[in-house]
Each structure stands twice: as C-alpha cells, then as structure tokens.
Amino acid sequence: SISIKDGGWRIVRGKGPSGADVMRFFVELEEKVERSDVHIPAGRIYFACGYYPLASRSAAAAAVGGTNTMGLERETLEEEERRAYLELEILKKKMAEASEENGLETLRASWALLNKCVDHSCVEDKLEQAKLREPELDDLRLSEDRTVALTREGSLCTKVNKLIVTEYHVLGRFGIARSVERHRDNNDDDNKGLKP
C-alpha cells in the first residue's frame, strides 16, 4: 500500500501541444516507492494531461450551425482542406492538358500547381495543429455533465533539485479511467463519466 498526502491542481491555458490547455496536478508520496527496477522518491509526483472545456465548444458550434463532434476551428479547416484538395486535383488535370499544348501554358500550369501544393500543405499543417487543440470527443474522457473532457493519457514526473538547477524527470505515462456512477434505480451505462 502506498501512502499519499493531499495534492493540488490547476488548469494552464494554452501551454500544451499546439496551444492546447493542460490540467496539471500533483500528489505527495509520504515515503519512497520501489517496485522491481522502478524507484520513485518521497515527495511530489506531478501529472499533466490535456484539458478541454466543452461548454465553449458547444456554444461556438451552435452559433454557426456546426456540429459538436469537433471544434469550430477544426471543422473550418477540414472544409478548407477539402476545397484545397479539389482545386489541386483540377490543377493537376490542367497541367496534364497543358503539357500536350505549348511550353508557356505548361509553365503557367506548373506555377499554379506549385502554389496550390504549398497552400494545401499549409492547410494540412494548420489542421494537424487544430486536431491537437480540438480532438474528437471519442478520443477524450468526458465529465459526467459533459462540460469538460480530459485526454485518455497523460505524463507524470518528479522534481529533482541539482545544485542550482531544478530538473523534472519523466517517470512515464498514466491513463485516465472512466468513472462510473450507478444509481440505485437506474443501472444503465448512460451515467458513465468523470466526476466534476
């Protein structure tokens, strides 16, 4: 059995991957823990995982008639990426046709194709960043009232002071399990979620 003291938590806005919000929390071990080749010193163990407030996502999507399965930025970028892909395919066909005509038309078509490839690549990069900030709901653990979600996994580390430098040593990853509350008169799975 491991003795753990109370800890604390906070939400850090915009400090996660691609500007995502992060929930950071800690617990304090009263004594060191050793299992096989793993050694965790007594003291604070720090945890971090992605934090997503869903209430703002719902409001933004409803305001413009979007869906709530993903964030508004991501939805917009996915539509932009589809348009850029279609335009790229049209330019590829024009390029093939131009290569059969004359050199000047081939050069113009090549230039347009190159520019569209760059545009498409930029949109794809933005979309990948948006996917980190606004993941699919199926990839998250939702609170019971569905206003907040956390990533299914996070990282944990410990702080080590070395002379004048403080280092954080990564201990590994942790998973967030679904919390289930069973009501006496209602024993279905609709009550699954994280506790607020």
Side-chain angles (χ1 to χ4, degrees):
S1 148
I2 301 172
S3 296
I4 297 176
K5 295 180 185 177
D6 286 340
W9 65 275
R10 73 180 185 160
I11 304 302
V12 183
R13 304 280 181 196
K15 296 295 184 184
S18 298
D21 295 341
V22 177
M23 183 174 86
R24 293 184 178 164
F25 59 100
F26 72 90
V27 295
E28 195 158 339
L29 296 177
E30 291 183 348
E31 55 192 47
K32 71 179 180 178
V33 176
E34 292 185 52
R35 297 277 195 301
S36 300
D37 63 342
V38 177
H39 165 80
I40 303 173
R44 289 184 177 179
I45 305 298
Y46 297 91
F47 299 79
C49 64
Y51 170 85
Y52 302 93
L54 299 179
S56 60
R57 183 185 286 195
S58 298
V64 295
T67 66
N68 190 27
T69 58
M70 65 185 78
L72 187 57
E73 176 190 15
R74 183 172 168 184
E75 196 171 309
T76 303
L77 284 169
E78 284 189 350
E79 181 58 35
E80 189 177 332
E81 196 271 336
R82 280 189 288 275
R83 265 195 315 272
Y85 177 78
L86 291 174
E87 290 172 7
L88 192 58
E89 290 302 308
I90 290 168
L91 283 173
K92 284 180 184 178
K93 287 178 185 173
K94 285 183 180 178
M95 174 72 179
E97 293 168 3
S99 65
E100 296 172 3
E101 294 177 9
N102 64 45
L104 186 57
E105 285 302 314
T106 303
L107 185 60
R108 284 183 185 142
S110 296
W111 186 250
L113 183 62
L114 176 64
N115 285 330
K116 187 48 69 178
C117 284
V118 169
D119 290 347
H120 185 253
S121 179
C122 289
V123 171
E124 283 183 323
D125 290 345
K126 288 178 187 176
L127 181 57
E128 287 306 310
Q129 298 298 312
K131 285 179 180 179
L132 293 172
R133 287 188 301 274
E134 300 175 347
E136 293 285 344
L137 293 181
D138 292 342
D139 297 334
L140 302 171
R141 293 289 190 207
L142 298 154
S143 64
E144 191 172 313
D145 62 0
R146 300 181 70 82
T147 58
V148 171
L150 302 175
T151 51
R152 291 176 182 251
E153 286 189 335
S155 59
L156 64 142
C157 62
T158 185
K159 184 165 48 172
V160 177
N161 293 315
K162 292 187 173 183
L163 297 175
I164 59 171
V165 177
T166 299
E167 295 179 348
Y168 288 89
H169 291 199
V170 176
L171 298 173
R173 302 201 50 82
F174 71 94
I176 296 177
R178 182 178 293 201
S179 172
V180 179
E181 180 182 321
R182 300 260 183 218
H183 297 286
R184 289 183 196 157
D185 58 345
N186 187 359
N187 210 13
D188 62 19
D189 286 344
D190 290 340
N191 300 315
K192 292 181 180 177
L194 296 170
K195 299 294 179 204

